[in-house]
Structures are given as C-alpha cells and as structure tokens.
Amino acid sequence: MAFGRGAKMDGRRPSSPSSSMCTTTTVVVFVALCLVGAWMMTSTTVFPVEPTSNKKSEPIEVSTSNKKTEVKDQRAEVGFGETDEAAKSGSVSSEKFEDTDNNDNVPDESHSNRDAPEEEKFPENTMEKPVEMAEEKEPPKEKEDSKDSFDDANGKSEGQSAKEGGETGQSGDEEEKSTTDNDVEKSDGEKKEDQEGKSEDDATEQPQIEEKVEESGEKEPAAKANEAAESKNEKEAQAASKSSGDEITYSWKLCNSSAVTDYIPCLDNEKAIKKLHSTKHYEHRERHCPAEPPTCLVPLPEGYKHPIEWPKSRDKVWYSNVPHTKLAEYKGHQNWVKVSGDHLLFPGGGTQFKNGALHYIDTIQQALPDIAWGKRSRVILDVGCGVASFGGYMFDRDVLTMSFAPKDEHEAQVQFALERGIPAISAVMGTKRLPYPSRVFDVIHCARCRVPWHIEGGKLLLELNRLLRPGGYFVWSATPVYQKLPEDVEIWNGEPDLTLSGLLFSAMSSLTKSMCWKMVKKTKDTLNQVGMAIYQKPMDNNCYEKRSEDSPPLCKETDDADAAWNVPLQACIPKLPIGPSVRGSKWPEMWPQRLEKTPFWIDGSRVGVYGKPANEDFEADYAHWKRVVSKSYVNGMGIDWSKVRNVMDMRAVYGGFAAALRDQKVWVMNIVPIDSPDTLPIVYERGLFGMYHDWCESFSTYPRTYDLLHADHLFSKLKKRCKLLGVFAEVDRILRPEGKLIVRDNAETISELEGMAKSLQWEVRMTYAKDKEGLLCVQKTTWRPKEIEASM
C-alpha cells in the first residue's frame, strides 16, 4: 500500500531535474522505510516455532486466541471453579441439601475453599495439532505447545507413559522438562511468543506450564542420565526433600508396636485400651486414636510379594503377605481358609455356607425373588464378615458389599479379605454408631455373627434399623433360627434360661415386631443345613403410630440420624421421611440406571457443593470425572489397571470418580471427610458405597491394603487442622508397595507432598503445575528405614 501511494504522489508533480531528483530520493527512502516496516510486521505476526522441529509452525496469535476462547467456554460448561459472584448468580436458591448434617460448611466448600482444578480450565474438545515422528528431541516450548502438556480435558500429553512418548516422538520435550525443570532457558522466539501472548487479554491467558514426568519404561538417554542423578541425590540425602528453596529433612523410622507389620494406630493404642474402665460392650475393639498421629512407617512382612491379581486373588493369596495361620486352624473345617505351601486358599465357605457362598446367595434369591440381587439390591452391609467370602462372591451377582468385623481373636480376618481384593473394614458394634449415614443399605446380612441383638433395649439391632433403607431387607442366618440350644431358644422365643444368664432378655421375635419389621420369609438351605429369617423394614410411619407401646421409642426431633462420627448408639427409632421429594421416601432406580441418574431428591432448589443448582452440580461433576478418568487416569498416566483392585477416593463428593471407574475391575471406597458437606447419601443412592472419616486420624484398615489412593483438594484443607506429615505416613501405611497415589491440589501443597514422597524414595511418576493448581502421581516402593523409633 505505501509503495502505490508514493507512485501516485510522484505522478502529480511538475517534471524538473531538481525536483525529479528530490522526488526520486524521497520515494526511494520512503519505499525503503515501508519495506522495512512491512518486513517487521510480517516477522512479528507469523513467527516460526523452531526450525529443528518437525511440527508445522502456526501463527502464535491465532493459536493463543483459540485457546482463550475455548477456555472460557469450558469454564462456563463445568463451572466448578467459579468465583463467589459467579456461583451465586448461577444459584436458583440458597437452600442447601436438607439431608446433610454439615450444611453450614457448604458455602465455604463451594465458593472459597476450592480453587478450580486445572483440568476444568481446559477445553473439552480442543483439537490437537498434527504431530509427525521426530528423529531428534525438540527443545522445550511453552505458549504454543501448552496443549502438548498434560491436559485432563483433552487427555493428551507429551508427558504420557514413556512408551507412548517414545512412539510419538513427543516424550523428549516433556522428559527434558521433567529433568531440567526451570534450568532450561527460553529461546528468543519463545520469549517473543510469551510477550505476544501477554499482550492479549490477561484475564483468560493460559499461564506457563511446568510439568514433570518420570515414568518406568524406556526413556530418552538424557532423561535416563538425569533420573540416575536424581536417584543418587535421593540416596545421599536419605530422606531429604526441597520445598520452595528451603531444605526440609524428614527422618523416617519404623513403628515400635507390638502389632509390628499389622499396626493400626487407632485400634492398637495399648495405652488407651489399658485405661478403659470396661470392655463389656467391646470398647477395647473400638477406635482409640493417639493424641498425635504417628509419623513412623510400618515394616513389611518378610518375603512380601506383589499381591495376586483379581479374580485369582479371591481364591488364594501369598502366605508371606498375610503370615497368619490361627484362623486356618480355628475355622479350616468350615472352609474359611486353608494353608497350602506358599499360599493361603479360600474355598469360598463360611460358618453358614460350608459348601460355598454362591449356593447360599442363590438360596436367598430363590426364597425371596423380590430381593433381586444386582438390580433392586445393589449395596449391602455384611455384619461380622469373617474373611468376606460372602461379599467376594456377591460380585458375581453385581452386588457391592460393605463388610466389617472387629480386629479380634479371629486373627487378621479383615486383612485376609482386603488381600483377596474384597472390600472390608475393621469395626465393631459396640457403643458408637457405625460410620455410615442413615437409610442407605438396600440389604443388611448377618451370617451367624453372634451379635446379641436383643440386649439393652435392642440398641444394636436399632443401629441396623438406622442404616437400612425403608423397604430394605435384613437377612439373618444364625443358630437361633434353626437350632435348639438353650441360649438360642432364649434369643428367639424370649424364654429365659436362668442357669445361663440369670436375666430376662427382650427376645428377637418381640423386638422385631416392636420395630415394625415384618418377617417375609423363614427358610432353610438344605445343602448347607442352615436356616435363615428375612425381615423387611416399613416404608412409612403408619406402623409406628399404631403401636400400643412406644417401645422402642421414636427418636427425638433433635436427633440427627445421619450424624455418625463418634456418636453414641441410641435405643430409638428414627421417623421415616415424609413427602415425595425427600430422600428415602421411595426406592432408588434399578441398577445400573441409578449410577448415572440424578437422585430424585436432588433438584435445582438446592445449592450444590460447587455452587451450581444441585442437579446441575451433580451432572457436571460426573461429566468432569468421566473425562478426567477416561482421558487422563486410564490412558494418560501409564497405570496398568489390571494390577489395580482396591481403590480409595480420600475426598469423594458425589462419587463421580468412582462412577467413572465402573468399567474397570475395581471397587472404590468413597470417603467423605467429617468437615465436608455430607454428600455420602448421594454416593449410596448411586449404587456405590463409602464411609465418613477424619483424616487427622488413622483409617480403620490394615497396612498395605489399597492399590490406589486418590485425593482431590484434600491435603490443603487438612493443613488447617493437622500436620501433613502424619497424614502422609498414614497414606504410606495404607498403600501397598507399587501402589499409586494421585493428588490434585494447589501447587504449594503438591510441592510439599512431592518432597515427602521423595524422602520415602517413592517414584515420582508425574508432577504438574499450572495457574497455582497441581497434579501429582507417585508410586510407593518397598523401601523401609532400618532404625526403629523409641518406645513411647
């Protein structure tokens, strides 16, 4: 344009030698200046990434602009990281979940306590640039290639598993980033790209990405060298890590406990147990946590091996992993467990089903077709589970079983269950409520659990009544149903045997009638030679109101049936929900439809955890975790899911993470922390399960029982209440060697946890930080310190 304009001006002037010379000079100078300006504009607008790259260069401004637009759209779609104003403007009502016991916590949780995770800031359908095979490693790029870093929305990453990276030619970039981190200086072109990106709208600009990927497998030579150097430094430091430039040294020691390899801090607190005034109600089997969480490490059993994979693990486990034989000697004749060479074998029997659990399970179905395993009945509770063969074979009927038993003379029964890949926890029906919400279990099962249901006004059976869903079934397979021993007759018929007890007990039969439980079936398993009684809980309050005596009494209006953490047992009956839109007023959808469908009692009149109307919050959360799990966790982290069985979500909200793993052969223990909004009933409504827990205390499980732990914005919240070192020691206790920990949290917390993991000589498979948010994936090793802590 400038050149044409100069020609026209020259054509209008008189033709004189002097003026012509001046004009010519002027035109030449002007044209030269225009050409220089045009060259500068062109080089600024389109700047190639790197001449050595095999990727096609693209205009930086266009690529950055596209990203910004997509980021805005994605945030609007998911909306979990909205500001207070945005969340409030999107709310239909200020009403919270009326079934929660932590409603006061909802606003903090949804608005101020959670930063938006990085994957929610990414576009869901961002197109990846075509990538050609590169023969040589490309230098790190930043703004333009930010898509190539770990992206939960896209599921694409140059920080994929080493094998994937080697095949695509991309791993070189990301592995350089992982090993050199901030030591790599940007090229001039990259600096220009940064400046150009910053000149755009700052409010939506994608920040610089720093990602580290360290995965097993074949890696580039430079990455191998750097990893070797890092490993050497770790060994020399001996449990030293760096955080924010300050060196923090962790001095790990082995726990000094009589439980040795089976140490559960809150169940093996010998000092607290010795101070108990009574053990009449199994107080010595309840939780008694140390004042300060232990920061020691539990040793490994001698000869520990990687657990046998599911489903073979249901039938046998390594003896060296659970080296206990007492239960085999005591219960071997009932086909609980047998010792065979290097293995412990589980024939699938139990006290009530010596000839196999499946026949026993099918007998229940035949006796009562309405129980409909795997359709109407999806989530059940097994009381006094033994080695949990009942729950293990329930998987064949698409039923999820929460099994529990005390840590008692039946040595390591729950540990056997977990080693087999069957869900279970160590718990006892003593003086406190079980850590579950009310009205959530479709069926409760007790096979000769020998619980004295009828004592003290029926407190223990009334606790099961609290947990059982209206219309749900209680399956009781026990000696009083079919045997004529004096104590059994007393329990069943209310006829006292003064020679045995000297007391007149409320009988089981009269207790169930007074609770309005209806016996719908009394039958016998002829093969296993056991009988069973099946009761059904009422769906409404009509029966309670018609009782001639108010015994057991209805609970007071002030009693919160969902309050379950350290709450004493109550000898009362909670009133059933009234109204068509209240939880528990009707049965959930059939499985598997209930997994994905929004519960009928979650609607737009309530505010969800993340600030949206509750029904939209639920749906967005599920969509979010389906995307993250399928494109990142399953396909982007190099995790071999065939080796993963026992999974825990340490901070579940709606159970979206667990729901997204449905196609994997895993089960997920969903934990709702006690200081979080009470969303656990929603988890159960979906056909999943979980429990309440305080992560400032140890969990009621044996060491080395989970293959994968997942924590979404948990640790940063815990820092306000307890020290992270004790929490991380608990993570180490729970996690199996070669198990994975995936953490999503703010970058500061991620850095702190990474330091702890390195001090334990764990393998850091991935670290990722962006816009003050981070992602960490680490793998536990078999390393243990040699020094033992002093006795306390």
Side-chain angles (χ1 to χ4, degrees), residues 200-213:
E200 299 291 322
D201 183 6
D202 292 337
T204 59
E205 180 186 5
Q206 292 286 357
Q208 177 180 340
I209 298 174
E210 296 181 31
E211 180 181 339
K212 305 176 184 178
V213 181

Side-chain angles (χ1 to χ4, degrees), residues 591 595-596 618 622 625-626 629 654-663 668 670 686 688:
W591 178 263
L595 180 71
E596 299 188 351
F618 175 91
Y622 185 34
W625 285 115
K626 282 197 296 184
V629 167
Y654 300 119
F657 168 72
L661 284 172
R662 182 194 168 195
D663 293 336
V668 181
N670 292 280
R686 304 183 74 169
L688 306 172

Side-chain angles (χ1 to χ4, degrees), residues 350-354 360 363 448 477-479 481-483 523-532:
T351 305
Q352 300 297 89
F353 37 90
K354 299 176 186 178
Y360 173 79
T363 298
R448 201 177 181 183
S477 169
T479 52
V481 177
Y482 61 93
Q483 290 191 11
T523 188
K524 191 172 184 178
D525 180 351
T526 55
L527 177 64
N528 289 304
Q529 291 296 303
V530 297
M532 64 188 74

Side-chain angles (χ1 to χ4, degrees), residues 440-455:
V440 292
F441 288 102
D442 305 332
V443 176
I444 298 180
H445 171 257
C446 164
R448 201 177 181 183
C449 47
R450 304 293 292 172
V451 176
W453 301 116
H454 58 293
I455 67 172

Side-chain angles (χ1 to χ4, degrees), residues 477-750:
S477 169
T479 52
V481 177
Y482 61 93
Q483 290 191 11
K484 300 298 182 181
L485 298 176
E487 63 269 30
D488 296 333
V489 172
E490 177 192 350
I491 293 173
W492 184 252
N493 296 322
E495 299 174 3
D497 186 341
L498 299 178
T499 61
L500 292 175
S501 63
L503 297 172
L504 181 60
F505 294 109
S506 298
M508 181 71 169
S509 56
S510 61
L511 177 59
T512 52
K513 288 179 182 178
S514 66
M515 293 167 53
C516 294
W517 282 15
K518 178 183 178 182
M519 184 189 288
V520 293
K521 197 72 178 180
K522 186 176 180 182
T523 188
K524 191 172 184 178
D525 180 351
T526 55
L527 177 64
N528 289 304
Q529 291 296 303
V530 297
M532 64 188 74
I534 305 175
Y535 298 88
Q536 185 173 29
K537 181 178 176 177
M539 285 290 298
D540 54 42
N541 297 305
N542 291 336
C543 177
Y544 301 147
E545 296 167 354
K546 294 177 182 178
R547 292 183 304 168
S548 57
E549 294 183 12
D550 189 26
S551 177
L554 294 176
C555 297
K556 297 179 181 178
E557 294 291 338
T558 56
D559 179 70
D560 183 359
D562 289 332
W565 188 252
N566 289 330
V567 176
L569 289 176
Q570 306 291 326
C572 63
I573 302 175
K575 291 192 69 173
L576 296 179
I578 301 174
S581 61
V582 181
R583 179 176 72 85
S585 60
K586 58 183 179 181
W587 200 261
E589 296 286 330
M590 296 294 103
W591 178 263
Q593 287 78 14
R594 66 192 281 186
L595 180 71
E596 299 188 351
K597 188 168 182 179
T598 306
F600 71 90
W601 41 277
I602 300 297
D603 55 35
S605 65
R606 301 178 181 90
V607 177
V609 173
Y610 303 122
K612 284 186 172 186
N615 57 336
E616 296 179 20
D617 222 30
F618 175 91
E619 294 164 3
D621 177 77
Y622 185 34
H624 159 73
W625 285 115
K626 282 197 296 184
R627 183 173 63 253
V628 171
V629 167
S630 65
K631 296 186 177 180
S632 297
Y633 293 177
V634 173
N635 298 312
M637 285 189 174
I639 296 174
D640 183 355
W641 285 89
S642 67
K643 299 183 184 300
V644 177
R645 173 62 180 170
N646 304 355
V647 178
M648 179 187 289
D649 191 354
M650 298 176 69
R651 182 180 171 267
V653 179
Y654 300 119
F657 168 72
L661 284 172
R662 182 194 168 195
D663 293 336
Q664 304 299 320
K665 294 181 179 180
V666 304
W667 57 267
V668 181
M669 181 70 75
N670 292 280
I671 304 300
V672 172
I674 60 169
D675 58 344
S676 295
D678 186 9
T679 53
L680 195 52
I682 300 175
V683 173
Y684 277 90
E685 195 81 2
R686 304 183 74 169
L688 306 172
F689 66 7
M691 56 185 286
Y692 301 113
H693 184 61
D694 181 359
W695 282 114
C696 291
E697 300 176 359
S698 77
F699 189 70
S700 294
T701 190
Y702 281 83
R704 306 170 302 280
T705 47
Y706 283 84
D707 300 299
L708 188 145
L709 302 180
H710 180 262
D712 179 28
H713 288 78
L714 168 70
F715 292 97
S716 56
K717 291 176 171 57
L718 283 176
K719 287 199 291 187
K720 303 171 184 176
R721 300 177 50 236
C722 51
K723 297 177 181 178
L724 285 190
L725 192 63
V727 182
F728 206 83
E730 176 65 4
V731 167
D732 176 90
R733 189 186 72 85
I734 295 174
L735 200 59
R736 289 170 169 169
E738 300 183 17
K740 313 291 190 303
L741 168 67
I742 301 175
V743 182
R744 320 177 75 83
D745 220 309
N746 62 53
E748 178 185 354
T749 302
I750 290 292

Side-chain angles (χ1 to χ4, degrees), residues 195-322:
Q195 292 171 358
E196 290 169 6
K198 290 178 182 178
S199 67
E200 299 291 322
D201 183 6
D202 292 337
T204 59
E205 180 186 5
Q206 292 286 357
Q208 177 180 340
I209 298 174
E210 296 181 31
E211 180 181 339
K212 305 176 184 178
V213 181
E214 304 174 24
E215 300 192 38
S216 59
E218 296 181 4
K219 303 192 178 185
E220 297 290 341
K224 288 183 178 179
N226 283 317
E227 284 185 354
E230 286 183 357
S231 177
K232 182 179 179 181
N233 291 338
E234 286 177 12
K235 292 179 181 179
E236 291 177 351
Q238 292 186 357
S241 64
K242 293 185 178 181
S243 177
S244 303
D246 298 327
E247 185 172 345
I248 301 175
T249 301
Y250 302 104
S251 180
W252 298 104
K253 298 179 182 179
L254 292 177
C255 297
N256 189 350
S257 167
S258 60
V260 197
T261 60
D262 297 335
Y263 179 44
I264 305 176
C266 289
L267 298 181
D268 294 317
N269 188 350
E270 296 175 354
K271 286 187 176 181
I273 293 173
K274 288 178 181 178
K275 294 178 181 178
L276 293 173
H277 299 296
S278 171
T279 59
K280 177 182 177 182
H281 299 98
Y282 294 92
E283 290 91 343
H284 58 304
R285 306 297 186 195
E286 294 183 321
R287 291 171 56 86
H288 303 281
C289 299
E292 289 292 329
T295 55
C296 57
L297 304 181
V298 177
L300 296 178
E302 186 177 352
Y304 181 86
K305 300 178 181 179
H306 182 81
I308 296 172
E309 296 172 14
W310 181 267
K312 292 181 179 179
S313 62
R314 183 171 63 181
D315 302 325
K316 65 179 181 179
V317 301
W318 294 113
Y319 169 78
S320 57
N321 289 8
V322 195

Side-chain angles (χ1 to χ4, degrees), residues 368-420:
L368 187 67
D370 287 347
I371 209 162
W373 297 131
K375 295 180 181 178
R376 182 186 191 271
S377 300
R378 161 64 180 174
V379 186
I380 70 177
L381 179 68
D382 189 17
V383 181
C385 63
V387 295
S389 288
F390 177 78
Y393 283 91
M394 270 297 186
F395 282 111
D396 290 357
R397 300 295 178 260
D398 215 2
V399 174
L400 201 56
T401 307
M402 172 73 75
S403 301
F404 76 89
K407 186 178 184 183
D408 59 9
E409 64 275 2
H410 288 171
E411 188 180 34
Q413 53 187 333
V414 168
Q415 189 176 21
F416 283 134
L418 289 159
E419 185 70 17
R420 297 173 69 189

